[in-house]
Amino acid sequence: MSIKVEDYYAPATFQKMKAFADQHETPFVVIDTNIISKAYDDLRAGFEFAKIYYAVKANPAVEIINLLKDKGSSFDIASIYELDKVMGCGVGPERISYGNTIKKARDVRYFYEKGVRLFATDSEADLRNIAKAAPGSKIYVRILTEGSTSADWPLSRKFGCQTDMAMDLLILAKQLGLVPYGISFHVGSQQRDIDVWDAAVAKVKVIFERLKEEDGIVLQMINMGGGFPANYITRTNSLETYAEEIIRFLKDDFGDELPEIILEPGRSLISNAGVLVSEVVLVARKSRTAVERWVYTDVGKFSGLIETMDEAIKFPIWTEKKGEMEEVVIAGPTCDSADIMYEHYKYGLPLNLASGDRLYWFSTGAYTTSYSAVEFNGFPPLKSFFL
Ligand SMILES: *Cc1c(COP(=O)(O)O)cnc(C)c1O
């Protein structure tokens, strides 16, 4: 398998990124913010009626927060630290949702004091905390969804609750003086099966109807989370196809009078805009007769590539060297044997690859720098540069 630049980047764009990269020592991620800007516009165009809340955890760089703030985005925030950072960029609390269902009561209070009035929940204990610490706020309940087998990075099990509990929580929210506002779900990140949204929207519809009929509660919002794709080795449908299909599911269930729709993209907005540039430290074989070569590079699981865990995300890797390819194991630089990125999925790299050659990891703008360890083996966190 050999990766072609033009399958991932416009040649001029890649040339610009590479020219910049040539001036800097590896490892780092170079991010072209024009690509983020276009991804945002494409999502806007695909879902004209939706409000976009950027999931800050994908990449919390101020360059990205500022860009998206100026484009009118709102923000999905998971901690008081992300809140401080985003508000520090001048984003008002009315553009913020506290989307983490796992939070301390004093952190809820902190958000409330900063003016945030939109909170996710999926448990009674959390809901009671919100009622005390953030009285009168709008509540949306996260439900469990299927789809963990077709998502490359599932977000299932840990978050969300069953339909019955979601209804109980929204009824309780009302009793506690909160505003039962809507339902959220996340079908799993890098979700390749669009039909998973169909099942999720159908569940939401049931909750909307039953709460209205049985309890007189009229919900107003559906938060459809993230899950939209980035361009990795395993190809996906285009964003337009996702949008067309998902809108059809919404209209099938809710007709033309859609409730307020929120999207929380992370990966799909940012990933494609970044190229991680690393250097080959060593190429080695484990015995005289071993067929397989090990390629050790100066970036690894602990410096931004944790999504290679279980080889879940398969980043396209490009190198300038051409010629005969051979299957390799690709591993990072640290003294931890978990620091192997790809061993089962066979990456091909040129036979003449040698120490000092550069590897270009495409679509690494999201979930890389934000995951990088601060000092494992003394290696500094993964840097990023913005064009
Ligand atoms: C991580 C996360 C997202 C972003 O998901 P992507 O698949 O990266 O788009 C959105 N919403 C919530 C609540 C999340 O935790």
Side-chain angles (χ1 to χ4, degrees):
M1 163 212 58
S2 94
I3 296 297
K4 292 198 194 72
V5 170
E6 55 276 19
D7 287 344
Y8 295 90
Y9 297 100
T13 302
F14 186 68
Q15 256 171 29
K16 190 177 65 171
M17 291 164 110
K18 187 168 176 305
F20 178 89
D22 289 347
Q23 311 299 314
H24 293 84
E25 251 187 64
T26 62
F28 57 86
V29 181
V30 52
I31 294 182
D32 183 340
T33 51
N34 291 320
I35 299 177
I36 300 176
S37 193
K38 179 163 186 313
Y40 184 90
D41 293 343
D42 288 348
L43 191 67
R44 267 261 67 88
F47 293 93
E48 282 173 335
F49 49 82
K51 270 174 103 173
I52 298 176
Y53 282 68
Y54 169 53
V56 173
K57 75 173 189 285
N59 189 325
V62 290
E63 289 86 349
I64 294 176
I65 296 169
N66 280 326
L67 171 81
L68 294 175
K69 175 193 75 177
D70 293 345
K71 291 185 81 75
S73 185
S74 295
F75 296 84
D76 170 51
I77 304 283
S79 70
I80 55 173
Y81 313 104
E82 282 184 354
L83 179 68
D84 284 346
K85 191 163 190 188
V86 168
M87 290 190 79
C89 291
V91 175
E94 70 290 345
R95 287 165 75 178
I96 289 171
S97 159
Y98 194 173
N100 195 346
T101 56
I102 302 158
K103 47 197 177 301
K104 297 172 180 171
R106 61 178 177 275
D107 292 352
V108 174
R109 169 61 79 175
Y110 189 84
F111 272 68
Y112 183 77
E113 281 168 356
K114 294 281 176 181
V116 177
R117 295 291 181 271
L118 184 59
F119 294 84
T121 194
D122 62 4
S123 70
E124 184 177 335
D126 181 56
L127 183 63
R128 289 188 183 278
N129 283 341
I130 298 171
K132 279 200 203 101
S137 293
K138 292 176 180 168
I139 295 296
Y140 60 92
V141 174
R142 179 153 169 185
I143 56 168
L144 287 162
T145 53
E146 305 306 319
S148 56
T149 53
S150 48
D152 288 334
W153 196 255
L155 293 166
S156 49
R157 284 176 46 246
K158 180 171 171 186
F159 310 102
C161 61
Q162 297 288 1
T163 305
D164 285 349
M165 172 159 279
M167 290 191 292
D168 291 348
L169 290 175
L170 287 160
I171 293 164
L172 180 61
K174 190 177 174 192
Q175 289 163 2
L176 294 172
L178 295 159
V179 180
Y181 194 62
I183 298 288
S184 75
F185 58 80
H186 194 305
V187 294
S189 200
Q190 191 68 10
Q191 177 56 262
R192 286 179 283 104
D193 180 4
I194 306 179
D195 287 339
V196 170
W197 271 273
D198 195 8
V201 170
K203 268 192 180 179
V204 174
K205 171 71 176 172
V206 168
I207 298 173
F208 267 63
E209 287 204 324
R210 283 182 53 193
L211 279 180
K212 189 169 157 198
E213 281 161 20
E214 295 166 22
D215 305 281
I217 292 176
V218 180
L219 297 178
Q220 298 170 59
M221 182 273 274
I222 308 173
N223 177 339
M224 298 202 293
F228 305 104
N231 295 331
Y232 301 125
I233 286 188
T234 314
R235 303 319 293 254
T236 61
N237 278 293
S238 66
L239 183 70
E240 296 89 84
T241 307
Y242 276 73
E244 281 166 19
E245 288 292 292
I246 293 168
I247 290 170
R248 187 166 62 79
F249 303 148
L250 281 169
K251 297 211 159 153
D252 279 353
D253 279 328
F254 286 89
D256 284 329
E257 298 283 298
L258 291 184
E260 179 186 336
I261 302 290
I262 284 179
L263 303 177
E264 296 175 331
R267 189 182 302 280
S268 63
L269 281 189
I270 313 294
S271 290
N272 301 335
V275 173
L276 193 167
V277 186
S278 77
E279 184 180 304
V280 174
V281 179
L282 292 171
V283 180
R285 290 183 204 267
K286 298 286 177 192
S287 77
R288 283 186 197 157
T289 53
V291 185
E292 207 166 52
R293 287 172 308 147
W294 284 66
V295 172
Y296 302 98
T297 178
D298 63 358
V299 73
K301 272 219 164 56
F302 303 101
S303 43
L305 295 174
I306 195 69
E307 289 199 319
T308 62
M309 209 161 81
D310 299 329
E311 308 191 13
I313 300 291
K314 296 178 185 68
F315 296 106
I317 304 174
W318 181 83
T319 159
E320 222 164 352
K321 281 231 171 118
K322 299 287 169 259
E324 200 187 331
M325 307 285 266
E326 196 188 51
E327 285 176 357
V328 291
V329 177
I330 304 176
T334 66
C335 301
D336 188 319
S337 60
D339 194 8
I340 299 171
M341 283 79 83
Y342 301 112
E343 191 173 7
H344 304 289
Y345 185 82
K346 294 301 177 196
Y347 271 77
L349 286 173
L351 259 175
N352 58 356
L353 193 76
S355 301
D357 288 342
R358 287 186 161 199
L359 300 179
Y360 297 80
W361 305 66
F362 294 170
S363 306
T364 44
Y367 302 118
T368 51
T369 51
S370 57
Y371 270 138
S372 183
V374 294
E375 203 181 88
F376 186 48
N377 267 173
F379 290 103
L382 183 61
K383 287 188 300 253
S384 54
F385 298 110
F386 290 83
L387 301 183

